[in-house]
Amino acid sequence: PKEPSGSLSTDSIKIKKEVANAFVKRKKRSSPYEWYFEYYKSPMEQMHERCENYPPCDYLSDQVGFAVAYNRFFG
């Protein structure tokens, strides 16, 4: 069913939970280590995110590499 504005109504977009579960499967974690690493990031990953969130560092890391860029701004 279309609304007067020409867009679809929200009722036509919704699907039942059972239908959605047929093609969207949740990834199961097999070990406690996977749970741990999902919630706690390594120090190197934290450093990468810190550099990515600071545009000058992110730009410089594309030019000369992550280690040099990180040390330039945060080292």
Side-chain angles (χ1 to χ4, degrees):
K2 290 198 173 204
E3 293 181 357
S5 64
S7 64
L8 294 173
S9 68
T10 56
D11 292 334
S12 66
I13 296 174
K14 294 180 184 175
I15 59 174
K16 292 182 181 179
K17 188 180 200 180
E18 296 79 24
V19 174
N21 287 338
F23 61 90
V24 178
K25 296 290 182 188
R26 191 170 171 211
K27 181 182 173 189
K28 299 198 181 203
R29 290 158 193 88
S30 60
S31 72
Y33 294 105
E34 290 181 29
W35 284 99
Y36 176 83
F37 287 119
E38 182 176 331
Y39 292 107
Y40 301 102
K41 297 176 182 168
S42 70
M44 182 60 77
E45 188 173 352
Q46 291 174 358
M47 290 168 52
H48 273 278
E49 287 184 355
R50 186 175 182 195
C51 187
E52 288 173 356
N53 290 333
Y54 186 59
C57 183
D58 190 34
Y59 176 77
L60 188 60
S61 70
D62 291 338
Q63 306 301 317
V64 297
F66 167 74
V68 174
Y70 188 86
N71 286 334
R72 166 86 164 79
F73 292 100
F74 304 110

Coordinates of all heavy atoms in Angstrom, one line a residue:
P1 N 0.8 -1.2 0.0 CA 0.0 0.0 0.0 C 0.9 1.2 0.0 O 1.8 1.4 0.8 CB -0.8 -0.1 1.3 CG -0.1 -1.1 2.1 CD 0.7 -2.0 1.2
K2 N 0.6 2.2 -0.9 CA 1.3 3.4 -1.0 C 0.5 4.5 -0.3 O -0.7 4.5 -0.4 CB 1.6 3.8 -2.4 CG 2.6 2.8 -3.1 CD 3.2 3.5 -4.3 CE 4.3 2.6 -4.8 NZ 5.2 3.3 -5.5
E3 N 1.3 5.4 0.3 CA 0.7 6.6 0.9 C 0.5 7.6 -0.2 O 1.1 7.5 -1.3 CB 1.6 7.1 2.0 CG 1.6 6.1 3.2 CD 2.5 6.6 4.3 OE1 3.1 7.7 4.2 OE2 2.6 6.0 5.4
P4 N -0.3 8.7 0.1 CA -0.5 9.7 -0.9 C 0.8 10.4 -1.4 O 0.9 10.8 -2.5 CB -1.4 10.7 -0.2 CG -2.1 9.9 0.8 CD -1.1 8.9 1.2
S5 N 1.8 10.4 -0.6 CA 3.1 11.1 -0.9 C 3.9 10.2 -1.9 O 4.9 10.6 -2.4 CB 3.9 11.4 0.3 OG 4.3 10.2 1.0
G6 N 3.5 8.9 -2.1 CA 4.2 8.0 -3.0 C 5.2 7.1 -2.3 O 5.8 6.2 -2.9
S7 N 5.4 7.3 -1.0 CA 6.3 6.4 -0.3 C 5.6 5.2 0.3 O 4.4 5.3 0.5 CB 7.0 7.2 0.8 OG 6.1 7.6 1.8
L8 N 6.3 4.2 0.6 CA 5.7 3.0 1.2 C 5.4 3.3 2.6 O 6.1 4.0 3.3 CB 6.7 1.8 1.1 CG 7.0 1.3 -0.3 CD1 8.1 0.2 -0.2 CD2 5.7 0.7 -0.9
S9 N 4.3 2.6 3.1 CA 4.0 2.8 4.5 C 4.9 1.9 5.4 O 5.4 0.9 4.9 CB 2.5 2.4 4.8 OG 2.3 1.1 4.6
T10 N 5.0 2.2 6.6 CA 5.9 1.4 7.5 C 5.3 0.0 7.7 O 6.1 -1.0 7.9 CB 6.1 2.0 8.9 OG1 4.8 2.3 9.5 CG2 6.8 3.3 8.7
D11 N 4.0 -0.2 7.6 CA 3.5 -1.6 7.7 C 3.9 -2.5 6.6 O 4.1 -3.7 6.8 CB 1.9 -1.5 7.7 CG 1.4 -0.8 9.0 OD1 2.1 -0.8 10.0 OD2 0.3 -0.2 8.9
S12 N 4.2 -2.0 5.4 CA 4.6 -2.8 4.3 C 6.1 -3.2 4.4 O 6.5 -4.1 3.7 CB 4.3 -2.1 3.0 OG 5.1 -1.0 2.8
I13 N 6.8 -2.5 5.2 CA 8.3 -2.8 5.4 C 8.5 -3.9 6.4 O 9.5 -4.6 6.3 CB 9.0 -1.5 5.7 CG1 8.9 -0.5 4.5 CG2 10.5 -1.8 6.0 CD1 9.5 0.8 4.8
K14 N 7.7 -4.0 7.4 CA 7.9 -4.9 8.5 C 7.7 -6.3 8.1 O 6.8 -6.6 7.3 CB 6.9 -4.6 9.7 CG 7.1 -3.2 10.3 CD 6.2 -3.0 11.4 CE 6.3 -1.6 12.0 NZ 5.3 -1.3 13.0
I15 N 8.5 -7.2 8.7 CA 8.4 -8.6 8.4 C 8.3 -9.4 9.8 O 8.8 -8.8 10.8 CB 9.5 -9.2 7.6 CG1 10.9 -9.0 8.3 CG2 9.5 -8.6 6.2 CD1 12.0 -9.7 7.5
K16 N 7.8 -10.5 9.8 CA 7.6 -11.3 11.0 C 9.0 -11.8 11.5 O 9.9 -12.0 10.7 CB 6.7 -12.5 10.8 CG 5.3 -12.1 10.5 CD 4.4 -13.3 10.4 CE 3.0 -13.0 10.1 NZ 2.1 -14.1 9.9
K17 N 9.1 -11.9 12.8 CA 10.3 -12.4 13.4 C 10.8 -13.7 12.9 O 12.0 -14.0 12.6 CB 10.1 -12.5 14.9 CG 11.3 -12.7 15.7 CD 10.9 -12.8 17.2 CE 12.1 -12.5 18.1 NZ 11.7 -12.6 19.5
E18 N 9.8 -14.7 12.7 CA 10.2 -16.0 12.2 C 10.8 -15.9 10.8 O 11.7 -16.7 10.4 CB 9.0 -16.9 12.2 CG 8.4 -17.2 13.6 CD 7.5 -16.0 14.1 OE1 7.0 -15.2 13.3 OE2 7.4 -16.0 15.4
V19 N 10.2 -15.1 10.0 CA 10.7 -14.9 8.6 C 12.1 -14.3 8.6 O 13.0 -14.7 7.9 CB 9.8 -14.0 7.8 CG1 10.3 -13.8 6.4 CG2 8.4 -14.7 7.7
A20 N 12.3 -13.3 9.5 CA 13.6 -12.6 9.5 C 14.7 -13.6 10.0 O 15.8 -13.6 9.5 CB 13.6 -11.5 10.5
N21 N 14.4 -14.5 11.0 CA 15.3 -15.5 11.5 C 15.7 -16.5 10.5 O 16.7 -17.2 10.6 CB 14.7 -16.1 12.8 CG 14.7 -15.2 13.9 OD1 15.5 -14.3 14.0 ND2 13.9 -15.5 14.9
A22 N 14.9 -16.7 9.5 CA 15.2 -17.6 8.4 C 16.5 -17.3 7.6 O 17.2 -18.1 7.2 CB 14.0 -17.8 7.5
F23 N 16.7 -16.0 7.4 CA 17.9 -15.6 6.6 C 18.9 -14.7 7.4 O 19.9 -14.4 6.9 CB 17.4 -14.9 5.4 CG 16.7 -13.6 5.6 CD1 17.3 -12.4 5.7 CD2 15.3 -13.6 5.6 CE1 16.6 -11.2 5.8 CE2 14.5 -12.5 5.8 CZ 15.2 -11.3 5.9
V24 N 18.6 -14.3 8.6 CA 19.6 -13.6 9.4 C 19.9 -14.4 10.6 O 19.1 -14.6 11.5 CB 19.0 -12.2 9.9 CG1 20.0 -11.5 10.8 CG2 18.6 -11.4 8.7
K25 N 21.1 -15.0 10.6 CA 21.5 -15.9 11.7 C 22.5 -15.1 12.6 O 23.4 -14.4 12.1 CB 22.2 -17.1 11.2 CG 21.2 -18.0 10.4 CD 20.2 -18.6 11.3 CE 19.3 -19.5 10.5 NZ 18.2 -20.0 11.3
R26 N 22.3 -15.3 13.9 CA 23.2 -14.6 14.8 C 24.5 -15.5 15.0 O 24.4 -16.7 15.1 CB 22.5 -14.5 16.2 CG 23.2 -13.7 17.2 CD 22.4 -13.4 18.4 NE 23.2 -12.8 19.3 CZ 23.1 -12.9 20.6 NH1 22.1 -13.6 21.1 NH2 23.9 -12.3 21.5
K27 N 25.6 -14.8 15.0 CA 26.9 -15.6 15.1 C 27.0 -16.1 16.5 O 26.9 -15.3 17.5 CB 28.0 -14.6 14.8 CG 29.4 -15.3 14.8 CD 30.5 -14.3 14.5 CE 31.9 -14.9 14.8 NZ 32.9 -14.0 14.7
K28 N 27.4 -17.3 16.7 CA 27.5 -17.9 18.0 C 29.0 -17.9 18.4 O 29.9 -18.2 17.5 CB 27.0 -19.3 18.0 CG 25.5 -19.3 17.7 CD 24.9 -20.6 18.1 CE 23.4 -20.5 17.7 NZ 22.5 -21.2 18.4
R29 N 29.3 -17.6 19.6 CA 30.7 -17.5 20.1 C 31.0 -18.9 20.7 O 30.3 -19.4 21.5 CB 30.8 -16.4 21.1 CG 30.7 -15.1 20.4 CD 30.3 -14.0 21.4 NE 29.9 -12.8 20.7 CZ 28.7 -12.5 20.3 NH1 27.7 -13.4 20.5 NH2 28.4 -11.4 19.7
S30 N 32.2 -19.4 20.3 CA 32.5 -20.8 20.8 C 33.3 -20.8 22.0 O 33.3 -21.9 22.7 CB 33.2 -21.5 19.6 OG 34.4 -20.8 19.3
S31 N 34.0 -19.8 22.4 CA 34.8 -19.8 23.6 C 34.7 -18.6 24.4 O 34.4 -17.5 23.9 CB 36.3 -20.1 23.1 OG 36.8 -18.9 22.6
P32 N 35.2 -18.7 25.7 CA 35.2 -17.5 26.5 C 36.1 -16.4 26.0 O 35.9 -15.2 26.2 CB 35.7 -18.0 27.9 CG 35.5 -19.4 27.8 CD 35.5 -19.9 26.4
Y33 N 37.2 -16.8 25.3 CA 38.1 -15.8 24.7 C 37.4 -14.9 23.7 O 37.7 -13.7 23.6 CB 39.3 -16.5 24.1 CG 40.1 -17.3 25.0 CD1 40.1 -18.7 25.1 CD2 41.0 -16.6 25.9 CE1 40.9 -19.4 26.1 CE2 41.8 -17.3 26.8 CZ 41.7 -18.6 26.9 OH 42.4 -19.3 27.8
E34 N 36.5 -15.5 22.9 CA 35.8 -14.6 21.9 C 34.9 -13.6 22.6 O 34.8 -12.5 22.2 CB 35.0 -15.5 21.0 CG 35.9 -16.3 20.1 CD 35.0 -17.2 19.1 OE1 33.9 -16.8 18.8 OE2 35.5 -18.2 18.7
W35 N 34.3 -14.0 23.7 CA 33.5 -13.1 24.5 C 34.4 -12.0 25.1 O 34.1 -10.8 25.0 CB 32.8 -13.8 25.7 CG 31.7 -14.6 25.3 CD1 31.6 -15.9 25.1 CD2 30.3 -14.1 25.0 NE1 30.4 -16.3 24.7 CE2 29.6 -15.2 24.7 CE3 29.7 -12.9 25.1 CZ2 28.2 -15.1 24.4 CZ3 28.4 -12.8 24.8 CH2 27.6 -13.9 24.4
Y36 N 35.6 -12.4 25.6 CA 36.5 -11.4 26.2 C 37.0 -10.4 25.2 O 36.9 -9.2 25.4 CB 37.7 -12.1 26.8 CG 38.7 -11.2 27.4 CD1 38.6 -10.7 28.6 CD2 39.8 -10.9 26.6 CE1 39.5 -9.8 29.1 CE2 40.8 -10.0 27.1 CZ 40.6 -9.5 28.4 OH 41.6 -8.6 28.9
F37 N 37.4 -10.9 24.0 CA 38.0 -10.0 23.0 C 36.9 -9.1 22.3 O 37.2 -8.1 21.7 CB 38.8 -10.7 22.0 CG 40.1 -11.2 22.5 CD1 40.4 -12.6 22.6 CD2 41.0 -10.3 23.0 CE1 41.6 -13.0 23.1 CE2 42.2 -10.8 23.5 CZ 42.5 -12.1 23.6
E38 N 35.6 -9.5 22.4 CA 34.6 -8.7 21.9 C 34.4 -7.4 22.8 O 34.1 -6.4 22.3 CB 33.3 -9.5 21.8 CG 32.1 -8.7 21.2 CD 30.9 -9.5 21.1 OE1 31.0 -10.8 20.9 OE2 29.8 -8.9 21.1
Y39 N 34.6 -7.6 24.1 CA 34.3 -6.5 25.0 C 35.6 -5.7 25.4 O 35.5 -4.5 25.7 CB 33.6 -7.0 26.3 CG 32.2 -7.5 26.0 CD1 31.9 -8.8 26.0 CD2 31.2 -6.6 25.7 CE1 30.7 -9.3 25.7 CE2 29.9 -7.0 25.4 CZ 29.7 -8.3 25.4 OH 28.4 -8.8 25.2
Y40 N 36.7 -6.3 25.3 CA 38.0 -5.6 25.7 C 38.9 -5.6 24.6 O 39.3 -6.6 24.1 CB 38.6 -6.4 26.9 CG 37.7 -6.4 28.1 CD1 37.0 -7.5 28.4 CD2 37.5 -5.3 28.9 CE1 36.1 -7.6 29.5 CE2 36.6 -5.3 30.0 CZ 35.9 -6.4 30.3 OH 35.1 -6.5 31.3
K41 N 39.3 -4.4 24.2 CA 40.2 -4.3 23.0 C 41.6 -4.3 23.4 O 42.0 -3.9 24.5 CB 39.9 -2.9 22.3 CG 38.5 -2.9 21.8 CD 38.2 -1.6 21.2 CE 36.7 -1.6 20.7 NZ 36.3 -0.3 20.4
S42 N 42.5 -4.7 22.5 CA 43.9 -4.8 22.8 C 44.5 -3.3 22.8 O 43.9 -2.4 22.2 CB 44.6 -5.6 21.7 OG 44.6 -4.9 20.5
P43 N 45.6 -3.1 23.5 CA 46.2 -1.8 23.5 C 46.5 -1.3 22.1 O 46.3 -0.1 21.8 CB 47.5 -2.0 24.3 CG 47.2 -3.1 25.2 CD 46.3 -4.0 24.4
M44 N 46.9 -2.1 21.2 CA 47.2 -1.7 19.8 C 45.9 -1.3 19.1 O 45.9 -0.2 18.4 CB 47.9 -2.9 19.0 CG 48.2 -2.5 17.6 SD 49.4 -1.1 17.5 CE 50.9 -1.9 18.0
E45 N 44.8 -2.0 19.3 CA 43.6 -1.6 18.7 C 43.1 -0.3 19.3 O 42.5 0.6 18.6 CB 42.5 -2.7 18.9 CG 41.3 -2.4 18.1 CD 40.3 -3.6 18.2 OE1 40.6 -4.6 18.7 OE2 39.1 -3.4 17.7
Q46 N 43.3 0.0 20.6 CA 42.9 1.2 21.2 C 43.7 2.4 20.6 O 43.2 3.5 20.3 CB 43.1 1.2 22.7 CG 42.1 0.3 23.4 CD 42.4 0.1 24.9 OE1 43.4 0.7 25.4 NE2 41.6 -0.7 25.5
M47 N 45.0 2.1 20.3 CA 45.9 3.1 19.7 C 45.4 3.4 18.3 O 45.3 4.6 17.9 CB 47.3 2.7 19.7 CG 48.0 2.6 21.1 SD 49.5 1.7 21.1 CE 50.5 2.5 19.9
H48 N 45.1 2.4 17.5 CA 44.6 2.6 16.2 C 43.3 3.5 16.2 O 43.2 4.4 15.4 CB 44.3 1.3 15.5 CG 45.5 0.7 14.8 ND1 45.9 1.1 13.6 CD2 46.4 -0.2 15.2 CE1 47.0 0.4 13.2 NE2 47.3 -0.4 14.2
E49 N 42.4 3.2 17.1 CA 41.1 3.9 17.1 C 41.4 5.4 17.6 O 40.7 6.3 17.0 CB 40.1 3.3 18.1 CG 39.6 2.0 17.5 CD 38.5 1.4 18.4 OE1 38.3 1.9 19.5 OE2 37.9 0.4 17.9
R50 N 42.3 5.6 18.5 CA 42.6 6.9 18.9 C 43.2 7.7 17.7 O 42.8 8.9 17.5 CB 43.6 6.9 20.0 CG 43.9 8.2 20.6 CD 44.9 8.1 21.8 NE 45.1 9.3 22.4 CZ 46.1 9.6 23.3 NH1 46.9 8.6 23.7 NH2 46.2 10.8 23.8
C51 N 44.0 7.1 16.9 CA 44.6 7.8 15.8 C 43.5 8.0 14.7 O 43.5 9.1 14.1 CB 45.8 7.0 15.2 SG 46.7 7.8 13.9
E52 N 42.7 7.1 14.5 CA 41.6 7.2 13.5 C 40.6 8.3 13.8 O 40.1 9.0 12.9 CB 40.8 5.9 13.3 CG 41.6 4.8 12.6 CD 40.9 3.5 12.6 OE1 39.8 3.4 13.2 OE2 41.4 2.5 12.0
N53 N 40.4 8.5 15.1 CA 39.4 9.5 15.5 C 40.0 10.9 15.5 O 39.2 11.9 15.8 CB 38.9 9.2 16.9 CG 38.0 8.0 16.9 OD1 37.4 7.7 15.9 ND2 37.9 7.3 18.0
Y54 N 41.3 11.1 15.3 CA 41.9 12.4 15.3 C 42.3 12.6 13.8 O 43.3 12.0 13.3 CB 43.1 12.4 16.2 CG 43.8 13.8 16.3 CD1 43.1 14.9 16.8 CD2 45.1 13.9 16.0 CE1 43.7 16.1 16.9 CE2 45.7 15.2 16.1 CZ 45.0 16.3 16.6 OH 45.6 17.5 16.7
P55 N 41.6 13.4 13.1 CA 41.8 13.6 11.6 C 43.3 13.8 11.2 O 43.7 13.2 10.2 CB 40.9 14.7 11.2 CG 39.8 14.6 12.2 CD 40.5 14.2 13.5
P56 N 44.0 14.7 11.8 CA 45.4 14.9 11.4 C 46.3 13.6 11.5 O 47.1 13.3 10.6 CB 46.0 16.0 12.3 CG 44.8 16.7 12.7 CD 43.7 15.7 12.9
C57 N 46.1 12.8 12.5 CA 46.8 11.6 12.7 C 46.3 10.6 11.7 O 47.1 9.8 11.1 CB 46.6 11.0 14.1 SG 47.5 9.5 14.5
D58 N 45.0 10.5 11.4 CA 44.5 9.5 10.4 C 45.0 9.9 9.0 O 45.5 9.0 8.3 CB 43.0 9.6 10.4 CG 42.3 8.5 9.6 OD1 42.9 7.4 9.6 OD2 41.3 8.8 9.0
Y59 N 45.1 11.1 8.7 CA 45.6 11.5 7.4 C 47.1 11.2 7.3 O 47.5 10.6 6.3 CB 45.4 13.0 7.2 CG 46.0 13.5 5.9 CD1 45.4 13.3 4.7 CD2 47.2 14.2 5.9 CE1 45.9 13.7 3.5 CE2 47.8 14.7 4.7 CZ 47.1 14.4 3.5 OH 47.7 14.8 2.3
L60 N 47.9 11.5 8.3 CA 49.3 11.2 8.3 C 49.6 9.7 8.2 O 50.5 9.3 7.6 CB 50.0 11.9 9.5 CG 51.5 11.8 9.4 CD1 52.1 12.6 8.2 CD2 52.1 12.5 10.7
S61 N 48.8 8.9 8.9 CA 49.0 7.5 8.9 C 48.8 6.9 7.5 O 49.5 5.9 7.2 CB 48.1 6.8 9.9 OG 46.7 6.8 9.5
D62 N 47.9 7.5 6.7 CA 47.8 7.1 5.3 C 49.0 7.4 4.5 O 49.4 6.7 3.5 CB 46.6 7.7 4.7 CG 45.3 7.2 5.2 OD1 45.3 6.1 5.8 OD2 44.2 7.9 5.1
Q63 N 49.7 8.5 4.9 CA 50.9 8.9 4.1 C 52.2 8.2 4.5 O 52.9 7.8 3.7 CB 51.1 10.4 4.3 CG 49.9 11.3 4.0 CD 49.4 11.1 2.6 OE1 50.2 11.1 1.7 NE2 48.1 11.0 2.4
V64 N 52.4 8.1 5.8 CA 53.7 7.6 6.3 C 53.6 6.3 7.1 O 54.7 5.8 7.5 CB 54.5 8.7 7.1 CG1 54.8 9.8 6.2 CG2 53.8 9.1 8.3
G65 N 52.4 5.9 7.5 CA 52.3 4.7 8.3 C 51.8 5.0 9.7 O 52.0 6.1 10.2
F66 N 51.2 4.0 10.3 CA 50.5 4.2 11.6 C 51.5 4.6 12.7 O 51.3 5.5 13.5 CB 49.7 3.0 12.0 CG 49.3 3.0 13.4 CD1 48.3 3.9 13.8 CD2 49.9 2.2 14.4 CE1 47.9 3.9 15.2 CE2 49.6 2.2 15.7 CZ 48.5 3.1 16.1
A67 N 52.6 3.8 12.8 CA 53.5 4.0 13.9 C 54.1 5.4 13.9 O 54.2 6.0 15.0 CB 54.6 3.0 13.8
V68 N 54.5 5.9 12.8 CA 55.1 7.3 12.7 C 54.1 8.3 13.1 O 54.3 9.2 13.8 CB 55.7 7.5 11.3 CG1 56.2 8.9 11.2 CG2 56.9 6.5 11.1
A69 N 52.9 8.1 12.5 CA 51.8 9.1 12.8 C 51.4 9.1 14.2 O 51.2 10.2 14.8 CB 50.6 8.8 11.9
Y70 N 51.3 8.0 14.8 CA 50.9 7.9 16.2 C 51.9 8.5 17.1 O 51.6 9.3 18.0 CB 50.6 6.4 16.7 CG 50.0 6.4 18.0 CD1 48.6 6.5 18.2 CD2 50.8 6.2 19.2 CE1 48.1 6.4 19.5 CE2 50.3 6.2 20.4 CZ 48.9 6.3 20.6 OH 48.4 6.2 21.8
N71 N 53.2 8.2 16.9 CA 54.2 8.8 17.7 C 54.3 10.3 17.5 O 54.7 11.0 18.4 CB 55.6 8.2 17.4 CG 55.7 6.8 18.0 OD1 55.0 6.5 19.0 ND2 56.5 5.9 17.3
R72 N 54.0 10.8 16.3 CA 54.1 12.2 16.1 C 53.0 13.0 16.9 O 53.3 14.0 17.4 CB 53.8 12.5 14.6 CG 53.5 13.9 14.2 CD 54.7 14.7 13.9 NE 54.5 15.9 13.2 CZ 54.0 17.0 13.7 NH1 53.7 17.0 15.0 NH2 53.8 18.1 13.0
F73 N 51.8 12.4 17.0 CA 50.7 13.1 17.7 C 50.5 12.7 19.2 O 50.1 13.5 20.0 CB 49.4 13.0 16.9 CG 49.4 13.7 15.6 CD1 49.6 13.0 14.5 CD2 49.2 15.0 15.6 CE1 49.6 13.6 13.2 CE2 49.2 15.7 14.4 CZ 49.4 15.0 13.2
F74 N 50.8 11.5 19.5 CA 50.5 11.0 20.8 C 51.7 10.4 21.5 O 51.6 10.0 22.7 CB 49.4 9.9 20.8 CG 48.2 10.4 20.1 CD1 47.8 9.9 18.8 CD2 47.3 11.3 20.7 CE1 46.7 10.3 18.2 CE2 46.2 11.8 20.1 CZ 45.8 11.3 18.8
G75 N 52.8 10.3 20.8 CA 54.0 9.6 21.4 C 54.8 10.5 22.3 O 55.4 10.3 23.2

